Amino acid sequence: MSILWLCVGIAIMLVLNIKFKWNSMLALLLAGAVVGLCNGMTPGHTLESISKGFGSTLGSLAIIVVFGAAIGKLMVDSGASNVLASTLIKKFGVKYIRVAVAIIGMIFGIAMFYEVAFLMLAPLVISIAREAKISWLSLAITGVAAATISHSIFPPQPGPVALIDAYNADYGTVYIIGIPMAICMLAVGGFLYPRLIGKFANADRPVPKFMQKDEDVVIDNPPSFAVSLLVPLSPAIIMISVTICNIFIDKESMLGQWLNFFGSSQVAMAIALVLAFLLFGTRQGHNMDWNMNCFSSAVQSIAGVVMIIGAGGAFKQIVLDSGIGDYIGKMMSAGTISPYIMAWLIAVIIRLATGQGVVAAMTAAGIIVGAVTDPATGAMIAGVNPALLTLATASGANFLTHINDASFWLFKEYFDLSIKDTLKTWGGLLASGSVMGLAFVMVCSIFI
């Protein structure tokens, strides 16, 4: 019956979210309470489990997510994002302009809140296409695919951070495996897919209404290209470097402890934020009030996402404490389905139903983590790699979305497309990349 009540809980969450337009945080909390109570947990135990899951999740993730949003805001307001874009375009030229757009999209997706990354990338792509005299829609598919892929699988973005915490994966390992995976996903969703719909994507289309009277905001003193690139990528550089150092250095030694202190996700993000304050703010002539205004604005924009992550953690804890995870684990051990496929598939179903990647990722993680974790030690069972499980779930949470996703409408309205054409472009680039991500994980699971 435990699986039945889990399904009932998920159904309640979906109905409240989709039909009655409840906030995802409230829907997740109520669904978690229903699952716990119906599985025999006492009211007190249920409340304790929800509080524990909510608090422990935010305790480890809130700093990372908020600092990441602040860095993205500072990057936009200082003009660093424009510097990155214009420089890469000049270096690559028209012949390799699609590669330049993909790099820009990747960087924007890692560094910024998704809507910000999209709204910066979209007009830039159209301007580039007009100047290069190529199809803007085909180029937009590449750019948006790059931003969406990097946003969905790399910290410090909310979904990946929450998954890494849920599966107790290593940040550096996720980056090391995730980078080639992202390249493969981009090759399929951003480069191959536009070719498959070639005539449609390359058709001569009028410039979207948002760009017909485009006026650029002039920033007097933007940072250099090197600085603009260093700051958003610094957390990844720090965490990857420490992961590599751990191969050669004893983690328990004094040097190892200090290295892992600076390589922890929270400290790496704090270092990047300080760099952003100094290099995007103070060095460019902005005072501390400007820095703090950017920070406050970022906190306000990300607050809702942070609360949804906390509610997802509460749902996960209910699944663990009610014993559902152990039950699923027994089912998996009795069958032949891979935990990577199961994690991907659950995330896909919830993403299709809710249209929200973070909700899909956290709900899938809550269902899977108990099934693949040894309750005695808290470690992953033999044969399951936490980093690969993180990437499989992230790929599923980045699957096709439709009219229940705000990003779907953002893509549709900005590029002035019909719903059918939006499904063909936005939906196709996501679905093809997501399937490629799962394929990459399954191949890696043979060797890792």
Side-chain angles (χ1 to χ4, degrees), residues 101-402:
V101 167
I103 294 173
I104 295 167
M106 281 282 188
I107 296 172
F108 284 8
I110 291 174
M112 301 174 197
F113 201 46
Y114 184 75
E115 283 75 9
V116 176
F118 179 91
L119 290 171
M120 289 181 53
L121 182 66
L124 178 66
V125 167
I126 294 173
S127 297
I128 294 169
R130 285 192 299 183
E131 184 173 341
K133 294 181 174 57
I134 59 177
S135 165
W136 60 262
L137 183 57
S138 176
L139 197 61
I141 292 173
T142 300
V144 172
T148 307
I149 289 166
S150 62
H151 186 88
S152 66
I153 65 177
F154 292 124
Q157 295 305 329
V161 168
L163 288 174
I164 289 171
D165 180 76
Y167 294 135
N168 197 26
D170 177 74
Y171 279 82
T173 304
V174 169
Y175 269 113
I176 291 171
I177 302 175
I179 289 172
M181 172 177 154
I183 293 172
C184 291
M185 291 173 70
L186 179 59
V188 173
F191 286 82
L192 177 60
Y193 185 72
R195 288 180 176 272
L196 294 177
I197 58 170
K199 289 183 178 180
F200 173 81
N202 291 306
D204 186 21
R205 297 175 180 273
V207 174
K209 57 187 176 183
F210 289 97
M211 288 292 292
Q212 288 173 3
K213 294 182 179 179
D214 182 40
E215 295 181 2
D216 295 328
V217 176
V218 178
I219 298 174
D220 295 330
N221 187 30
S224 67
F225 173 77
V227 169
S228 301
L229 186 63
L230 171 66
V231 174
L233 296 184
S234 57
I237 294 170
I238 293 170
M239 288 186 280
I240 290 173
S241 300
V242 171
T243 297
I244 294 173
C245 288
N246 283 333
I247 299 174
F248 308 101
I249 297 174
D250 181 9
K251 289 184 179 181
E252 301 303 319
S253 67
M254 185 59 68
L255 176 60
Q257 291 182 43
W258 276 106
L259 276 175
N260 283 279
F261 169 76
F262 286 108
S264 66
S265 55
Q266 292 90 343
V267 176
M269 287 303 301
I271 292 171
L273 182 61
V274 171
L275 287 175
F277 283 146
L278 293 175
L279 300 179
F280 291 163
T282 306
R283 187 182 181 190
Q284 304 309 124
H286 303 293
N287 58 26
M288 189 52 65
D289 286 341
W290 184 88
N291 281 331
M292 291 302 102
N293 285 336
C294 287
F295 184 84
S296 297
S297 177
V299 172
Q300 292 171 12
S301 69
I302 202 71
V305 177
V306 171
M307 292 298 101
I308 292 172
I309 290 174
F315 188 90
K316 177 195 74 174
Q317 195 65 41
I318 286 287
V319 172
L320 291 174
D321 293 349
S322 64
I324 297 174
D326 293 338
Y327 185 80
I328 295 174
K330 292 176 182 178
M331 289 179 59
M332 289 172 56
S333 62
T336 58
I337 186 168
S338 163
Y340 305 123
I341 295 176
M342 180 174 282
W344 181 85
L345 187 59
I346 292 171
V348 166
I349 293 170
I350 297 172
R351 179 67 192 264
L352 283 168
T354 66
Q356 299 186 45
V358 174
V359 173
M362 287 304 298
T363 307
I367 295 170
I368 292 297
V369 70
V372 297
T373 303
D374 185 342
T377 63
M380 286 281 173
I381 60 177
V384 180
N385 185 287
L388 289 180
L389 197 57
T390 296
L391 293 170
T393 311
S395 296
N398 192 46
F399 193 72
L400 166 72
T401 59
H402 50 92

